[in-house]
Amino acid sequence: MAHAHSRSGRPEELDQDGRCAQVPQFPAGVEKASPNGDFVWRRCPAPCALALLPLPARFRCSSKMVAAVCASRVSGLLGRALPRVGRPMSSGAHGEEGSARMWKALTYFVALPGVGVSMLNVFLKSRHGEHERPEFVAYPHLRIRTKPFPWGDGNHTFFHNPHVNPLPTGYEDE
Amino acid sequence: MTHQTHAYHMVNPSPWPLTGALSALLLTSGLAMWFHYNTLTLLYLGLLTNMLTMYQWWRDIVREGTYQGHHTPIVQKGLRYGMILFIVSEVFFFAGFFWAFYHSSLVPTHDLGGCWPPTGIIPLNPLEVPLLNTSVLLASGVSITWAHHSLMEGKRNNMNQALLITIGLGVYFTALQASEYLETSFSISDGIYGSTFFMATGFHGLHVIIGSTFLMVCLLRQLKYHFTSKHHFGFEAAAWYWHF
């Protein structure tokens, strides 16, 4: 950041880039994204600040013209945001302090135990034993083969399980 | 004038849109060749060129954003719009399958026996593995939120752990669903019941695989310090996709 303070103290002086010599400048093109209001705005000397008032142009003397340029440079660096002291937490953009801790607790004490309970439920239900597979009936609305599958013999579905999936003609292992 | 005076990203010329379009042509014609002439060459070519295009195009986007600084706030806004619109299109894609299911199941035709499930179909018990799958995906939604907050608060170890848990749950879901597919007594060829069941759950499973892959890429990038606590849109996009 180029510091202009070491140069002449007169507020209306411009440096060789046409920028206000009194105000520390960022290198051209760098955006300042800080939400804090602690910005060069406050370090602008009083004569510059006066020029920010919406005075009619004819009241401005040349020093205020220069100061107006300086102020517009400053607000240009700020973008359209006004300086603020603090920034209210919005849940979408930033995490509130401690919210990660809450979600970690939810993960380990609610979500994962929920998965564990569901796993237990499946395990217990599976211990009831395999039930008899149903007798094969050649319903016309099931095991449809209007066109062969592009794999194998064209007659087996992709996840075919010979124990539970009959072919159109019946179970393979009977 | 040696530099741009606006904050948008004028992307350098890239071959990937062309290779992507060509891969789409190879995939579609490859499928047609496979279905009708029993030959896989064109399809394999299509899959290869598609994978290569995706890898190189997204690698370039990561380079442009993370290493070259092109992703200014306005550019990021555009990326957000893009991801939101894409997800909305996915919602409509699934809406079609839900429409087909409700159309068929609320007024079952007489050739099915006039009932739902149709005669001869023994459905899965929804309170066994399907319920477990539901709890797995809901838990992964909680863990990915933990990951996001940890990232925003700069807690690196927590973030890595949470993202790993999320990916693990996604993989667990896929494994469970594959085992369910092998155990069902009905198949995709079992009338409209089989069609609606496997189209909806099949595309859902494919999207879980895609989402898990997206999260794995995020994990790799996180381990390489690509994300900052304020700028991590790639992760946010993956999280939005995962939630949907």
Side-chain angles (χ1 to χ4, degrees):
Chain A
M1 193 162 31
H3 282 279
H5 289 295
S6 54
R7 295 187 210 160
S8 154
R10 284 178 300 156
E12 50 271 14
E13 182 169 282
L14 295 178
D15 66 15
Q16 65 263 34
D17 292 330
R19 294 182 280 190
C20 174
Q22 195 70 5
V23 174
Q25 299 289 345
F26 285 111
V30 173
E31 278 182 306
K32 175 131 172 101
S34 166
N36 298 317
D38 192 17
F39 190 62
V40 294
W41 188 274
R42 303 233 173 87
R43 282 179 251 138
C44 214
C48 281
L50 270 180
L52 300 173
L53 296 172
L55 298 170
R58 65 177 185 273
F59 288 125
R60 289 188 199 150
C61 65
S62 62
S63 68
K64 283 186 182 167
M65 286 285 281
V66 162
V69 170
C70 156
S72 70
R73 288 267 174 200
V74 166
S75 55
L77 287 169
L78 275 173
R80 281 163 299 147
L82 291 173
R84 291 165 287 219
V85 181
R87 184 168 182 271
M89 290 292 192
S90 58
S91 59
H94 283 288
E96 290 142 29
E97 288 307 309
S99 61
R101 202 166 136 255
M102 179 189 80
W103 286 103
K104 181 177 182 176
L106 279 172
T107 302
Y108 282 119
F109 291 114
V110 177
L112 291 178
V115 172
V117 163
S118 302
M119 286 170 75
L120 181 66
N121 179 44
V122 168
F123 172 70
L124 292 173
K125 289 257 173 79
S126 76
R127 278 183 3 165
H128 273 197
E130 307 288 320
H131 44 75
E132 288 293 312
R133 75 179 177 198
E135 195 187 303
F136 174 73
V137 177
Y139 290 115
H141 65 284
L142 301 180
R143 272 88 51 179
I144 293 173
R145 298 285 188 272
T146 47
K147 179 202 201 98
F149 292 107
W151 53 77
D153 69 351
N155 200 25
H156 293 75
T157 60
F158 201 72
F159 291 91
H160 179 77
N161 179 345
H163 182 68
V164 291
N165 299 133
L167 296 181
T169 45
Y171 289 104
E172 282 173 297
D173 48 13
E174 265 172 5
Chain B
M1 260 319 190
T2 55
H3 63 276
Q4 65 185 40
T5 52
H6 59 80
Y8 292 91
H9 182 196
M10 303 301 290
V11 183
N12 287 333
S14 163
W16 311 130
L18 180 61
T19 63
L22 289 172
S23 80
L25 176 63
L26 289 170
L27 280 169
T28 45
S29 53
L31 278 172
M33 290 301 285
W34 184 40
F35 290 157
H36 296 283
Y37 299 104
N38 198 31
T39 166
L40 279 161
T41 317
L42 226 50
L43 185 59
Y44 283 149
L45 255 179
L47 284 165
L48 179 69
T49 49
N50 199 46
M51 296 293 136
L52 282 173
T53 299
M54 290 194 289
Y55 174 75
Q56 291 174 107
W57 196 340
W58 282 322
R59 174 207 64 192
D60 284 356
I61 294 173
V62 168
R63 285 174 174 176
E64 290 157 5
T66 303
Y67 297 126
Q68 297 176 343
H70 286 292
H71 290 181
T72 60
I74 190 80
V75 171
Q76 200 190 111
K77 198 171 177 200
L79 294 169
R80 284 175 190 275
Y81 273 128
M83 193 65 194
I84 288 168
L85 288 170
F86 173 64
I87 290 174
V88 169
S89 80
E90 296 264 69
V91 168
F92 282 111
F93 179 70
F94 278 97
F97 296 119
F98 276 93
W99 189 337
F101 168 70
Y102 282 112
H103 175 98
S104 310
S105 60
L106 291 172
V107 192
T109 57
H110 106 278
D111 64 303
L112 305 174
C115 55
W116 192 275
T119 310
I121 295 277
I122 301 163
L124 299 170
N125 185 346
L127 299 176
E128 289 181 20
V129 177
L131 183 61
L132 170 59
N133 273 344
T134 301
S135 68
V136 166
L137 290 183
L138 289 175
S140 72
V142 174
S143 61
I144 199 174
T145 308
W146 170 30
H148 193 191
H149 283 261
S150 304
L151 178 57
M152 291 189 289
E153 291 178 22
K155 293 178 175 162
R156 195 174 162 75
N157 279 337
N158 270 219
M159 199 283 183
N160 296 352
Q161 205 184 110
L163 193 47
L164 203 56
I165 288 174
T166 309
I167 294 168
L169 287 168
V171 170
Y172 186 35
F173 173 92
T174 305
L176 281 168
Q177 194 71 320
S179 86
E180 280 284 85
Y181 272 25
L182 287 163
E183 289 298 318
T184 54
S185 62
F186 56 89
S187 72
I188 196 172
S189 62
D190 284 326
I192 192 62
Y193 185 90
S195 297
T196 49
F197 181 91
F198 285 101
M199 285 302 274
T201 61
F203 271 112
H204 178 250
L206 176 65
H207 283 73
V208 171
I209 292 169
I210 292 169
S212 306
T213 308
F214 198 168
L215 289 172
M216 278 188 248
V217 168
C218 284
L219 180 61
L220 288 170
R221 293 186 65 200
Q222 159 72 357
L223 294 172
K224 289 176 183 286
Y225 297 90
H226 285 198
F227 300 133
T228 74
S229 62
K230 300 272 192 299
H231 189 164
H232 44 260
F233 177 66
F235 174 78
E236 288 187 54
W240 291 348
Y241 194 82
W242 191 252
H243 283 302
F244 272 86

